[in-house]
Structures are given as structure tokens and as C-alpha cells.
Amino acid sequence: MTDNFVVQNRHDIDGRPIGLLRDLLIIFDSSGSVSRRDFIVAKQQLARLLGMLCPSPDPFKGSQRAALIQFSDHVRDVFDFNDKNSTAEIQRAVRNMRYMGKATCTARVLEHAKDRMFNVQRGKSANRTKYCTVFTRSIALSCLQYVRNTLYT
């Protein structure tokens, strides 16, 4: 699982490079549909997961980048792709997120991700593969289709 996140100097059987440079956008639900307790546990688990992607060498020191947004009744940019330079910095920012606990605005956060996060001002680069991970209590199939059809085109 963790071997595929870092930059590798290998190619698949068709000659395509394996381990391309990646931008990982994390969308984190902080709305009232997620209890405060579940929010705290989810933050801890996300920070732990990020540390397991590839503990050594640190994938976020140069080759891989991450950005984090959280949402409830509004969207909050926690950090952009250019802001954090190590796994430890990213984990600290995840753990420091505060619970918002209001209404859920899933459509707004997906629009925000599409229109504002994957752009040059936020650190987007043409030679990087885009990944988006949504952490939420529940998400409709239509939202997943939206992510696939808009963020990955």
C-alpha cells in the first residue's frame, strides 16, 4: 500500500512511469452530522494514516504535496499545497482542526475544491497527478460522480 505513494524510478509493463508526483487534496467533514467525538477520532486516524503512507523517506518533503479543507456550513482552507513541507507539519495541522458542528454544505465544498484548490495560485502543477479524498459521515453517489467528473478532468 505505501510503496505506491512515493516517487519511484520504475515503469509498468507498458512503459508508463510508476510513482508520479502527486497532489493530495483532503476534504474533511466537520459538520453537525459528524459528532464531536467522531470528529476527534477521525482527525486522529487521518493523522495516523498520513504517517503510514511512507514513513521514510518522508513523501511530503519535496515530491508529494497535500492540501486540506474542512467544511460545515462554510468551507475553511486549512492549508494549501505549498504550505506544509513534511508529514509532521501536515499531521499537526490535521490534529489542530477545530470542530465546526453546523449544517453540511457538501456541494459548496466540492465546488470550492474544483474552482479554488487545484489551481496555480494554490500550488497546482501540470506535471502532478491530482488525488482527492473526502472524509465524511456519508456521501451521496451523485457527489462521488461529481468529484470524478469535475476534479479529475
Side-chain angles (χ1 to χ4, degrees), residues 5 22-26 28 43-53 58-69 78-97 135:
F5 195 74
R22 291 178 171 88
D23 282 344
L24 172 64
L25 173 60
I26 303 163
F28 204 89
K43 284 192 321 180
Q44 293 168 343
Q45 294 301 319
L46 174 58
R48 185 171 171 239
L49 174 65
L50 289 167
M52 295 170 69
L53 288 175
D58 188 333
F60 296 106
K61 284 191 175 180
S63 56
Q64 315 307 324
R65 300 181 309 174
L68 173 62
I69 54 179
V78 179
F79 59 86
D80 290 333
F81 292 109
N82 291 328
D83 291 345
K84 305 297 178 192
N85 297 314
S86 71
T87 300
E89 288 180 18
I90 292 169
Q91 288 172 309
R92 193 169 20 264
V94 167
R95 289 185 188 110
N96 288 334
M97 280 191 298
F135 289 85

Side-chain angles (χ1 to χ4, degrees), residues 106-111 114 134 136 138-152:
T106 307
R108 188 177 303 152
V109 75
L110 294 175
E111 284 290 329
K114 177 178 97 50
V134 181
T136 184
S138 63
I139 191 163
L141 180 58
S142 60
C143 290
L144 293 175
Q145 290 168 336
Y146 177 87
V147 169
R148 185 188 71 222
N149 294 335
T150 59
L151 295 181
Y152 293 107

Side-chain angles (χ1 to χ4, degrees), residues 62-79:
S63 56
Q64 315 307 324
R65 300 181 309 174
L68 173 62
I69 54 179
Q70 74 177 114
F71 70 99
S72 180
D73 62 336
H74 66 281
V75 178
R76 178 177 168 261
D77 295 337
V78 179
F79 59 86

Side-chain angles (χ1 to χ4, degrees), residues 2 8 10-11 13 17 20 41 45 54 56 58 75 78 86 88 93 98 111 115 118 123 134 142 146 151 153:
T2 59
Q8 300 171 8
R10 297 188 334 216
H11 295 80
I13 58 172
L20 302 172
V41 169
Q45 294 301 319
C54 186
S56 180
D58 188 333
V75 178
V78 179
S86 71
R98 298 198 183 273
E111 284 290 329
D115 296 339
F118 284 120
V134 181
S142 60
Y146 177 87
L151 295 181
T153 56

